[in-house]
């Protein structure tokens, strides 16, 4: 093969290129969505605990909120398992700001 038969080499570094494999894109998208849902779940849980502590809710409301949060957590676990993700995989590193989610998950 002569040098004219070979495609030209791009002189720029390849580190800026994305790996756009269909399986990777789907898993990364699911990871991002689950991260946002987990953040919202934790915020809702904290707000519910505050309202429980203040006595702001009826027993029926407390039970419904508790059941809803429990079911959401179970569904999140199912989706993480389906896509081979661990809870810590959803915790984005925000650099100098630290992790997005508390390390203890709560």
């Amino acid at each position: 093969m002569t040098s004219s038969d070979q495609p030209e080499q791009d002189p720029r570094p390849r580190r800026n290129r994305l790996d756009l494999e269909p399986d990777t894109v789907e898993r990364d998208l699911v990871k991002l969505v689950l991260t946002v849902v987990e953040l919202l779940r934790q915020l809702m849980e904290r707000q519910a605990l505050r309202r429980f502590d203040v006595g702001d809710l009826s027993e029926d409301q407390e039970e419904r909120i508790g059941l809803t949060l429990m079911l959401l957590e179970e569904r999140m676990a199912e989706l993480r398992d389906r896509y081979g993700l661990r809870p810590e995989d959803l915790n984005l590193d925000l650099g100098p700001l630290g992790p997005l989610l508390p390390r203890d998950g709560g």
Side-chain angles (χ1 to χ4, degrees):
M1 226 187 251
T2 66
S3 61
S4 62
D5 294 332
Q6 295 180 359
E8 289 185 34
Q9 294 291 328
D10 189 352
R12 294 176 293 182
R14 298 177 63 96
R15 68 177 182 258
N16 293 333
R17 294 198 178 172
L18 297 174
D19 182 14
L20 296 178
E21 294 295 322
D23 293 338
T24 303
V25 170
E26 179 181 6
R27 184 175 185 272
D28 289 346
L29 179 60
V30 168
K31 182 177 172 182
L32 178 61
V33 169
L34 290 179
T35 298
V36 171
V37 171
E38 178 61 16
L39 175 62
L40 293 174
R41 187 196 67 77
Q42 287 186 20
L43 292 173
M44 289 176 9
E45 188 175 86
R46 286 190 195 109
Q47 182 64 30
L49 289 173
R50 283 188 198 105
R51 292 184 72 190
F52 291 157
D53 290 343
V54 172
D56 200 17
L57 301 169
S58 70
E59 285 184 33
D60 185 49
Q61 288 173 319
E62 286 180 8
E63 189 158 328
R64 282 192 325 222
I65 290 171
L67 180 60
T68 300
L69 290 172
M70 187 174 65
L71 291 172
L72 179 57
E73 190 169 355
E74 287 175 7
R75 186 67 177 129
M76 290 285 295
E78 290 172 14
L79 289 169
R80 282 193 317 265
D81 290 345
R82 180 176 177 184
Y83 288 92
L85 297 167
R86 299 166 299 161
E88 55 269 20
D89 292 333
L90 304 183
N91 200 358
L92 300 177
D93 180 4
L94 300 176
L97 298 175
L100 176 66
L101 305 171
R103 292 199 190 278
D104 63 2

